[in-house]
Amino acid sequence: MAALDLRTAARRPRRGRTMSHWRRRITAIALLSSAVTALLAFTMPYPLALGLIFPLGSLSSAGTSFDEYEPLPPSPSLVRLKPNGPAVSTSNSVSSSSVFVPPPVLRNRSEPPPVVRKRSKRRRSKRREPPPVVRNLDLPARKSNPSDVKVPSLRREPAYWRMAPEEALRLAKTEIQNPPVVLDDPDLYAPLFKNVSIFKRSYELMERILKVYIYQDGPTPIFHTPELRGIYASEGWFMKLMEENKQYTTRDPSKAHLFYLPYSARQLELALYVPNSHNLRPLSLFLRDYVNGIAAKFPFWNKTRGADHFLVACHDWGPYTTTRHEELCKNTIKALCNSDASEGIFIRGRDVSLPETTIRNPKKPLRYVGGNRVSQRSILAFFAGNMHGRVRPILLKYWGDKDEDMRIYGPLPNRVSRQMSYVQHMKASKFCICPMGYEVNSPRIVESIYYECVPVIIADNFVLPFEELLDWSAFSVVVAEKDIPNLKNILLGISLRRYIRMHTCVQKLQKHFLWHAKPLKYDIFHMILHSIWFNRLNQIQLQQE
């Protein structure tokens, strides 16, 4: 019996040991549930996590509904939420890229809201932009004392378009007399100009102010019919581009600063001159009657006696066709290729020396432009042309076929042209001789510039093109007619260093003598127009004096 009791007792589990086993299970389950709940609370969205931690029943059982609670807004100093992006802390103490956003604290609506102190937002001062850089300051090249440097005031441009034409011209003259100094301009090569600052300021004012009225009167082909081919093409190209221009022309003569007489001296010769008559009287009488007609029809000529009118004529007879009308000859601005200062018709400071350009193909006016390097110019001097005028026979007498370095010819011989053409000679020569013909002007000056050959000008009393602005000593050699026998020694006296500088200037000068179907800034069309504008301002200064 005792043995049976022992076996029965061994089969019965101990009560204390069983209770401890269940406690451990319950504890483990509770801890696991807490961990799962906490994990869900941290990973689930805010409303679901709140419902998991605080069931609606528990809130209702406490006598308060969930709707009576509203969240407190998070402090702006702790958290800033970006739309469609992670939460980013604005506090300097938090450096982690991922910041936990705690749920908002619930408060009862019946309770008074807490006092939230709003931080005073300091107005951020706007970043000030640096002042504009003014390159063309009227500053000396070097000054040690900063107090001596005068900085020009940045002021607004006057409203020139509101002014009367005479008033605008006077103000422009004042502006040009004190121009800002040009320190560096990629479009202008300073050694070419007598004063590049004056030229640039004058050109800028011309672009802003100048308006030209073109008379529509006059029969064709003498008027409004440009000749675009040959050695007199300059007057035709200017007429064509001027009448096509919209920037500088106006249809309201009351707003005009200049008035253009659009006639062609070449067409005047073809229409009225009797061949071999040597009589220019019909040409000058026709032009006199034309000017009298516009003076009677319009009030503009009589207002200034023709001082604000201009004409452009490249024919050798251009100056002589103006002699029958006194005001036309003495007052009008004449842009002439035949700019001989000794005859009393062309007047320096008022009239303009017009470059004589030879255009062989109007569709390709820039054909053959360009030249060889200095090292590829083996000929010292070159000239070929007809023997007319007083200078060319003397040149041929002293240097024609007498020196291998001096290639001086009459018309270029066939034996020479078969080996090297006229253009190739100019491109292979250091100096190109440009003697006068019947008149002082010569198309070889512009040809030399086109082919980058330093021009040697032999024509006494010749007013060089754009002489009021360009420094011709920088890129040309002017030889007096009496010095023709000593021509070679004069050219050999120019050092290689000086010649390289002159050749560089010719290359830079080329852009100012090129015709374009659509004019470009600083090209020959604008240079001619600017010289007319500039000399008109000179007239105003003379009238005031």
Side-chain angles (χ1 to χ4, degrees):
M1 191 67 180
L4 182 59
D5 293 337
L6 289 172
R7 285 194 294 271
T8 304
R11 292 174 181 172
R12 294 175 182 173
R14 295 182 181 179
R15 189 169 183 175
R17 190 179 297 174
T18 303
M19 291 297 294
S20 176
H21 177 71
W22 282 105
R23 286 173 184 168
R24 284 197 296 271
R25 287 186 178 183
I26 293 172
T27 304
I29 292 172
L31 292 175
L32 182 61
S33 300
S34 301
V36 171
T37 304
L39 182 62
L40 292 175
F42 281 103
T43 57
M44 293 177 67
Y46 160 68
L48 298 178
L50 185 63
L52 182 65
I53 299 174
F54 304 101
L56 295 178
S58 61
L59 294 175
S60 300
S61 61
T64 306
S65 65
F66 183 75
D67 296 332
E68 294 179 2
Y69 288 83
E70 60 182 7
L72 289 174
S75 175
S77 62
L78 295 176
V79 177
R80 182 175 71 252
L81 294 178
K82 289 186 176 181
N84 301 327
V88 180
S89 173
T90 58
S91 175
N92 295 331
S93 61
V94 181
S95 61
S96 174
S97 60
S98 177
V99 181
F100 166 66
V101 182
V105 182
L106 300 178
R107 66 176 179 84
N108 198 312
R109 289 185 178 178
S110 60
E111 298 177 2
V115 178
V116 180
R117 294 183 179 179
K118 295 183 180 180
R119 292 189 176 184
S120 61
K121 296 182 180 180
R122 295 181 180 178
R123 295 183 179 178
R124 296 183 179 180
S125 60
K126 295 183 179 179
R127 184 177 179 182
R128 296 182 178 179
E129 296 294 334
V133 178
V134 180
R135 290 189 175 184
N136 300 335
L137 296 179
D138 190 9
L139 302 179
R142 293 181 182 177
K143 279 198 175 182
S144 58
N145 189 1
S147 62
D148 296 338
V149 178
K150 296 181 180 180
V151 180
S153 59
L154 299 177
R155 58 184 181 82
R156 187 176 298 177
E157 283 285 342
Y160 295 104
W161 58 274
R162 293 182 179 178
M163 301 179 183
E166 288 293 327
E167 182 184 358
L169 293 177
R170 291 192 189 95
L171 185 58
K173 186 62 182 180
T174 305
E175 293 282 338
I176 294 172
Q177 288 177 344
N178 300 298
V181 177
V182 176
L183 300 179
D184 54 342
D185 192 317
D187 296 327
L188 296 175
Y189 191 60
L192 300 178
F193 299 90
K194 293 180 179 178
N195 191 321
V196 68
S197 302
I198 289 179
F199 170 73
K200 183 175 181 179
R201 185 55 180 161
S202 176
Y203 191 96
E204 291 173 346
L205 292 173
M206 179 190 74
E207 290 183 314
R208 296 176 187 175
I209 300 175
L210 180 60
K211 293 298 178 184
V212 178
Y213 179 77
I214 304 175
Y215 285 103
Q216 301 301 316
D217 301 65
T220 58
I222 299 175
F223 292 85
H224 310 288
T225 308
E227 178 68 35
L228 304 179
R229 189 189 303 270
I231 62 175
Y232 306 126
S234 292
E235 65 181 28
W237 274 83
F238 181 86
M239 182 191 300
K240 173 183 179 294
L241 299 178
M242 190 75 248
E243 292 187 330
E244 293 175 352
N245 190 276
K246 295 182 179 178
Q247 178 182 356
Y248 296 107
T249 57
T250 179
R251 294 183 179 180
D252 185 359
S254 64
K255 297 180 180 179
H257 306 89
L258 289 170
F259 295 81
Y260 177 36
L261 307 177
Y263 92 102
S264 169
R266 173 60 173 168
Q267 297 289 0
L268 185 65
E269 177 214 356
L270 296 176
L272 301 179
Y273 177 70
V274 179
N276 301 322
S277 67
H278 304 287
N279 183 12
L280 302 183
R281 190 169 183 271
L283 285 69
S284 57
L285 290 177
F286 175 86
L287 200 57
R288 181 200 65 182
D289 294 341
Y290 170 76
V291 173
N292 288 334
I294 62 172
K297 184 177 180 180
F298 304 100
F300 314 113
W301 179 277
N302 296 327
K303 184 178 179 180
T304 61
R305 299 297 178 185
D308 53 0
H309 288 59
F310 72 94
L311 59 86
V312 178
C314 193
H315 198 280
D316 290 349
W317 299 345
Y320 313 125
T321 59
T322 64
T323 55
R324 293 287 177 174
H325 196 289
E326 184 178 2
E327 292 178 351
L328 178 66
C329 185
K330 292 184 178 180
N331 299 340
T332 302
I333 302 173
K334 300 181 294 295
L336 303 172
C337 288
N338 185 8
S339 52
D340 190 341
S342 65
E343 296 178 338
I345 301 176
F346 185 95
I347 301 176
R348 274 191 168 100
R350 185 197 66 187
D351 296 331
V352 174
S353 179
L354 183 67
E356 185 174 356
T357 57
T358 301
I359 304 296
R360 295 177 175 85
N361 186 354
K363 295 183 179 180
K364 296 180 180 179
L366 305 183
R367 191 177 182 184
Y368 303 126
V369 171
N372 299 337
R373 299 192 300 268
V374 174
S375 60
Q376 295 177 340
R377 295 179 178 269
S378 58
I379 304 173
L380 177 63
F382 167 73
F383 168 77
N386 295 324
M387 290 293 108
H388 55 262
R390 66 176 185 265
V391 173
R392 296 183 185 186
I394 300 175
L395 181 67
L396 189 64
K397 173 184 175 181
Y398 283 97
W399 301 107
D401 289 332
K402 294 182 179 180
D403 196 308
E404 186 63 24
D405 293 333
M406 304 287 288
R407 305 284 181 89
I408 307 299
Y409 307 98
L412 193 64
N414 291 332
R415 59 179 174 81
V416 177
S417 62
R418 281 195 294 264
Q419 297 178 358
M420 186 180 294
S421 67
Y422 177 86
V423 174
Q424 290 173 339
H425 270 90
M426 298 193 78
K427 292 187 176 185
S429 301
K430 291 184 175 67
F431 299 96
C432 292
I433 311 300
C434 307
M436 62 175 288
Y438 288 120
E439 303 294 346
V440 293
N441 51 300
S442 172
R444 284 169 181 79
I445 298 176
V446 178
E447 287 179 348
S448 301
I449 296 171
Y450 283 0
Y451 306 136
E452 300 174 6
C453 179
V454 176
V456 179
I457 302 167
I458 308 177
D460 294 349
N461 304 313
F462 179 41
V463 180
L464 297 170
F466 312 134
E467 186 188 55
E468 63 276 0
L469 298 168
L470 297 179
D471 181 11
W472 280 83
S473 64
F475 50 82
S476 69
V477 181
V478 178
V479 177
E481 296 175 15
K482 63 182 180 60
D483 293 331
I484 291 178
N486 197 33
L487 180 59
K488 184 176 180 180
N489 292 333
I490 294 175
L491 300 181
L492 291 177
I494 298 174
S495 65
L496 178 61
R497 179 174 296 181
R498 182 188 170 194
Y499 175 78
I500 292 175
R501 288 199 302 267
M502 296 175 74
H503 183 263
T504 302
C505 287
V506 171
Q507 291 177 315
K508 301 292 186 181
L509 178 71
Q510 192 179 88
K511 61 185 275 187
H512 301 297
F513 284 81
L514 297 179
W515 290 107
H516 300 90
K518 293 183 179 179
L520 302 179
K521 190 173 185 178
Y522 300 129
D523 68 355
I524 189 171
F525 169 75
H526 288 100
M527 293 292 288
I528 296 171
L529 186 63
H530 174 267
S531 290
I532 296 171
W533 150 268
F534 190 80
N535 286 1
R536 172 60 182 149
L537 297 181
N538 285 339
Q539 284 183 284
I540 292 178
Q541 182 185 27
L542 292 175
Q543 288 173 1
Q544 288 179 344
E545 292 177 355

